Amino acid sequence: MNTLQKALIALSVGSLLSVSAQAAVNYAGQPYVGVKVGKFLVDTDDLDDPTAYGIYAGYNFDPNFGAEIEYVGSSDTDIETGVRGVNAEYNLKTYGAYGTYRYQFPNTGLYAKGKLGFAKAEIDVSASNVLGGSVSESDSDSGLAGGIGLGYNFNPNMSLEAEYDYVAEDIALLTVGAHFKF
């Protein structure tokens, strides 16, 4: 191999490496999807806090700012009626869209997260008695919602987060979730 061929190979490899480095720098964002589990925190003495489970998806526009949507539902939770022969239960659902901000702690995989947006919370209550009678009621509340959290990046594609979210009047949410980034 002569000197000219070696020089051409070196220039070609150098050009390819610089193109991939420029592509990494110009990468505009990163989508992600995740699952979460936790507890709804219902601010009333009459109702137990149900188990929460949910899915979420988001897009990081840059290392700090992003957007996220989520759905969180609950298991059916019994309500103590105090009346013999009457059974009652309820469940919660929330839907939310948020803007997010992440602060990456230097030299670690640890980050803090804040989110602010809009959420809708729905509650469904049903009661039945031993004679076969039943009744159902639903209610919803929509408005400003937000949350704070702490997360850890295990690698560039996998993270774990713990969050506290204010969803609606008298309803908050405490969850742990994992998400995969594309």
Side-chain angles (χ1 to χ4, degrees):
M1 199 183 278
N2 65 27
T3 308
L4 180 60
Q5 289 175 332
K6 289 179 185 178
L8 287 174
I9 290 173
L11 285 173
S12 298
V13 170
S15 296
L16 287 175
L17 290 176
S18 69
V19 167
S20 63
Q22 289 173 355
V25 171
N26 292 330
Y27 181 61
Q30 186 174 43
Y32 59 91
V33 295
V35 295
K36 57 174 59 179
V37 65
K39 276 269 197 216
F40 276 105
L41 305 174
V42 182
D43 190 21
T44 179
D45 294 334
D46 300 334
L47 302 176
D48 290 335
D49 295 334
T51 301
Y53 51 90
I55 57 174
Y56 60 103
Y59 189 81
N60 292 323
F61 300 110
D62 64 25
N64 299 107
F65 294 98
E68 190 171 284
I69 58 172
E70 73 177 9
Y71 164 80
V72 181
S74 77
S75 57
D76 288 338
T77 303
D78 292 332
I79 300 172
E80 290 294 325
T81 63
V83 179
R84 188 174 181 174
V86 174
N87 298 319
E89 62 184 22
Y90 79 102
N91 64 52
L92 291 166
K93 295 178 207 126
T94 65
Y95 310 88
Y98 304 95
T100 62
Y101 176 79
R102 284 180 181 77
Y103 172 76
Q104 184 73 41
F105 292 101
N107 303 320
T108 69
L110 192 64
Y111 62 90
K113 176 182 171 185
K115 64 184 190 180
L116 185 62
F118 180 80
K120 179 179 182 180
E122 297 177 351
I123 185 168
D124 296 319
V125 180
S126 61
S128 61
N129 62 33
V130 293
L131 300 175
S134 66
V135 65
S136 296
E137 249 339 281
S138 295
D139 193 16
S140 66
D141 186 18
S142 300
L144 193 62
I148 57 171
L150 200 57
Y152 187 79
N153 292 312
F154 290 104
N155 60 46
N157 295 331
M158 186 71 168
S159 296
L160 183 68
E161 292 181 348
E163 284 187 350
Y164 173 83
D165 298 327
Y166 170 81
V167 180
E169 186 177 343
D170 299 329
I171 300 174
L173 185 59
L174 188 59
T175 59
V176 173
H179 63 264
F180 179 76
K181 303 172 208 166
F182 301 101

